[in-house]
Amino acid sequence: IITSYSDAEDNINVVVRVRPLSKKEIKSGDDSVVQFPGNGQVLVDGIPGGPSGGQKPKLFSYNVVFEPAATQEDVLQFSGMKRLIEMAVEGFRCTCFCYGQTGSGKTHTLTGPPGLVIDLLNPGSARKPLAVRWSKKARGFFVENLFTVDCEEFDDLMAVLEEGMRNRSVGRHNMNDYSSRSHTILCVHITSEEPAEGGVFISRTGKINFVDLAGSEMTKKTQSEGKTLEEANNINKSLMVLGYCISSLSDSKKKPTHIPYRDSKLTKLLADSLAGNGVTLMIACISPARSNISETLNTLRYAARAKKI
Ligand code: ADP
Ligand code: MG
């Protein structure tokens, strides 16, 4: 249920997770169009002829592929997520983001079975967008007036996450609709202290961004108008810029390349993690269902472009 091409040990790793067919899909006779030849590969069925001539089956390769039967624990163990957390504890800045169409399992993967930049921890301010500014002093981008919470224990962190998730749904009738049109970032700063000689402590601060991206289907189709259309265009752009930054970063190992962080708010915020010596993990989430085949192919292409294996 898990196959890998190579251990997820590079700075940028791309894994794919395929969710199971849902009860509803099974009931409506939808079937799976993805197969798993092994070695981190995903094979998507061809589309039979028709006026547009159909499509041949397509084969893609990634660091690791998680088949529908893989559990949350499997993803934690084998996606490289553990290494990402270890590196953050050592003081590196890391990012894990989930990409995919609405309903493909992004939130499930990041937060687990049902159990967040408007500022979700400061709902008083929550209805107005926060500014992303450049700090000369810190030489990095930051969110102005963002609420932060000190956590001593793991439970404190979970409480913060839960509050953020609750606030995310406030004022919205349909949470899935909201989450499909917004990026959610949980940014965890980790300070660790290690005793050193002479009774002093060496303190290190690392960071992990957990990013639940807006539904990628917005990049193409939207029947919406007005504000929603504007939102869709922003999402469209930020996902495109993110993909472009990641693939430029992969290329920049071979030759110096300009990375266009400044082209979207999202990439400004992730710039220090993406550019640093930390690890970036992209989890591309897909549905196996035939009815989603074109979105699935889009996601697999986006993920393959992010890192050519
Ligand atoms: P997204 O955040 O990409 O819109 P969700 O994470 O909300 O998608 O997943 C859509 C539905 O599929 C949810 O009901 C979720 O519980 C279910 N689901 C997603 N991934 C899995 C999985 N790996 N195993 C079981 N159910 C899943
Ligand atoms: Mg979601």
Side-chain angles (χ1 to χ4, degrees):
I1 56 170
I2 304 161
T3 73
S4 66
Y5 167 84
S6 61
D7 283 342
E9 289 205 336
D10 282 336
N11 283 6
I12 298 173
N13 294 293
V14 178
V15 308
V16 168
R17 186 180 197 186
V18 187
R19 69 158 167 80
L21 282 168
S22 67
K23 285 205 184 94
K24 204 171 144 205
E25 285 161 346
I26 294 169
K27 218 173 147 197
S28 68
D30 217 342
D31 62 336
S32 170
V33 291
V34 290
Q35 293 173 57
F36 307 98
N39 298 324
Q41 291 178 325
V42 181
L43 180 65
V44 183
D45 286 2
I47 302 171
S52 56
Q55 267 182 31
K56 291 194 188 125
K58 297 220 160 57
L59 185 67
F60 300 88
S61 291
Y62 306 96
N63 287 108
V64 185
V65 170
F66 296 93
E67 298 175 22
T71 62
Q72 290 294 97
E73 184 60 29
D74 290 333
V75 175
L76 181 63
Q77 283 281 351
F78 300 107
S79 64
M81 179 83 88
K82 278 213 157 144
R83 184 161 153 265
L84 190 129
I85 294 167
E86 280 161 16
M87 288 193 66
V89 170
E90 284 167 27
F92 292 95
R93 289 172 291 212
C94 303
T95 296
C96 166
F97 61 89
C98 286
Y99 179 96
Q101 75 178 109
T102 300
S104 59
K106 298 180 295 298
T107 305
H108 180 94
T109 295
L110 279 179
T111 60
L116 310 190
V117 185
I118 287 172
D119 189 344
L120 293 172
L121 296 177
N122 192 7
S125 75
R127 299 280 80 97
K128 60 175 195 286
L130 300 168
V132 174
R133 302 199 190 285
W134 174 261
S135 155
K136 253 193 194 161
K137 205 167 135 221
R139 298 197 52 75
F141 292 101
F142 69 104
V143 184
E144 198 173 49
N145 300 323
L146 187 69
F147 197 71
T148 58
V149 184
D150 285 327
C151 299
E152 294 276 338
E153 312 272 343
F154 179 72
D155 284 352
D156 300 343
L157 181 61
M158 287 318 284
V160 170
L161 177 61
E162 272 164 28
E163 190 186 336
M165 305 240 302
R166 254 196 323 274
N167 292 339
R168 179 194 204 182
S169 60
V170 163
R172 307 277 171 162
H173 297 297
N174 185 341
M175 178 159 164
N176 215 22
D177 181 47
Y178 183 39
S179 71
S180 71
R181 290 192 282 110
S182 61
H183 305 303
T184 305
I185 305 180
L186 172 70
C187 179
V188 184
H189 298 262
I190 303 173
T191 303
S192 55
E193 290 189 331
E194 204 183 313
E197 280 175 46
V200 296
F201 286 84
I202 298 174
S203 148
R204 295 187 179 89
T205 299
K207 173 167 110 171
I208 312 182
N209 298 307
F210 293 99
V211 189
D212 191 348
L213 292 168
S216 56
E217 73 281 2
M218 301 302 288
T219 59
K220 277 198 298 83
K221 53 175 178 220
T222 172
Q223 283 92 38
S224 7
E225 287 171 16
K227 179 134 198 281
T228 322
L229 186 62
E230 196 186 310
E231 282 175 0
N233 287 337
N234 286 335
I235 289 165
N236 187 335
K237 187 172 169 218
S238 60
L239 290 177
M240 213 180 72
V241 174
L242 177 65
Y244 197 67
C245 286
I246 304 276
S247 62
S248 312
L249 278 163
S250 298
D251 293 344
S252 69
K253 281 194 215 156
K254 286 163 240 148
K255 57 175 181 0
T257 312
H258 169 72
I259 321 279
Y261 300 116
R262 284 178 178 270
D263 291 357
S264 81
K265 238 183 183 180
L266 177 71
T267 46
K268 280 181 189 172
L269 283 177
L270 300 180
D272 65 335
S273 307
L274 296 176
N277 300 318
V279 182
T280 296
L281 172 63
M282 167 169 166
I283 305 181
C285 296
I286 59 170
S287 154
R290 186 171 301 277
S291 59
N292 289 319
I293 191 165
S294 47
E295 290 301 343
T296 292
L297 284 167
N298 283 341
T299 297
L300 290 174
R301 270 188 223 112
Y302 181 98
R305 232 181 290 125
K307 186 176 183 176
K308 293 156 210 93
I309 289 181

